[in-house]
Amino acid sequence: MEIKPYIEKAKIGDQVAFTFLLDYYWNEVYGFMLKRTENETDAEDITIETFSKAFDKIATYNPEFQFNTWLIAIAKNVHIDLLRKKKSSLFIEITDEEDQQAYNVADTTPSAEDELITEQNLSRLLQFIKELKPHYQEVIQLRYFQELSYQEIADKIGEPLNNVKIKLLRAKKLLAEIIQERN
């Protein structure tokens, strides 16, 4: 499969291309980090942070190298950063300027996942949401039930805007898969 067109589209901010790359490479990056960390939560957090950083810096991607190799290198660095943070117990604040530099994947057009979610009745939807991991439940609840903006969610849960966007993309994809399995 030819990935280069998706990378080029992602470089100019194409939401569909971002989502495709996230879906296409998620399992590879997550699996790699799961082997390294032996912890599902850490592996998932590192994978989310990896895609967040990758999409933020996609303009710097050098096509001479494989895209998955570039993602794995970012994942290794994120993991090292996480280990350093745990070791030093320091919390590094994200500046407003860094937050402003975050990539913009927000798209007001309903995606296929959005349409599936809104078609379900509320009680069944809540049952499906309960099948997600707690941090995915939280971002879905804040976005779709409390109707908070991405920035408001980032402020509320104390995470960078990029992470919130990636978590929501992933949560919607997983929720759509659960809904499709049950119907």
Side-chain angles (χ1 to χ4, degrees), residues 4-101:
K4 289 179 184 174
Y6 292 99
I7 295 168
E8 292 307 312
K9 287 178 183 176
K11 283 183 177 183
I12 58 172
D14 185 310
Q15 172 66 36
V16 174
F18 280 127
T19 303
F20 174 82
L21 292 170
L22 174 71
D23 290 345
Y24 192 81
Y25 289 107
W26 177 271
N27 288 341
E28 183 175 352
V29 175
Y30 175 76
F32 176 80
M33 289 317 306
L34 187 58
K35 286 179 186 171
R36 272 181 84 123
T37 64
E38 298 179 352
N39 179 307
E40 287 182 17
T41 304
D42 285 348
E44 201 162 76
D45 288 346
I46 291 167
T47 304
I48 288 168
E49 183 71 20
T50 297
F51 281 98
S52 175
K53 288 181 181 293
F55 293 153
D56 189 31
K57 305 288 185 194
I58 197 159
T60 66
Y61 167 68
N62 182 346
E64 291 179 23
F65 302 100
Q66 293 291 323
F67 193 71
N68 60 339
T69 304
W70 185 65
L71 287 171
I72 295 295
I74 294 170
K76 287 178 182 177
N77 290 334
V78 169
H79 185 219
I80 290 167
D81 289 346
L82 179 71
L83 293 174
R84 284 182 185 143
K85 282 181 187 175
K86 283 183 178 179
K87 189 174 181 181
S88 67
S89 299
L90 292 177
F91 180 76
I92 298 170
E93 286 290 325
I94 304 279
T95 66
D96 286 341
E97 183 181 323
E98 288 172 304
D99 230 14
Q100 289 299 321
Q101 292 173 349

Side-chain angles (χ1 to χ4, degrees), residues 159-170:
E159 290 195 22
L161 183 62
N162 289 357
N163 287 18
V164 170
K165 290 177 182 180
I166 299 294
K167 275 186 181 178
L168 271 165
L169 279 173
R170 186 72 180 150

Side-chain angles (χ1 to χ4, degrees), residues 22 45 48-49 51-52 99 102-103 105-106 135-136 138-140 142-144 148-172:
L22 174 71
D45 288 346
I48 288 168
E49 183 71 20
F51 281 98
S52 175
D99 230 14
Y103 68 87
V105 297
H135 61 275
Y136 289 142
E138 181 182 30
V139 293
I140 290 285
L142 292 171
R143 179 72 175 149
Y144 296 103
L148 298 182
S149 69
Y150 290 107
Q151 188 59 58
E152 289 169 330
I153 295 169
D155 294 342
K156 186 166 182 92
I157 66 174
E159 290 195 22
L161 183 62
N162 289 357
N163 287 18
V164 170
K165 290 177 182 180
I166 299 294
K167 275 186 181 178
L168 271 165
L169 279 173
R170 186 72 180 150
K172 289 190 309 185

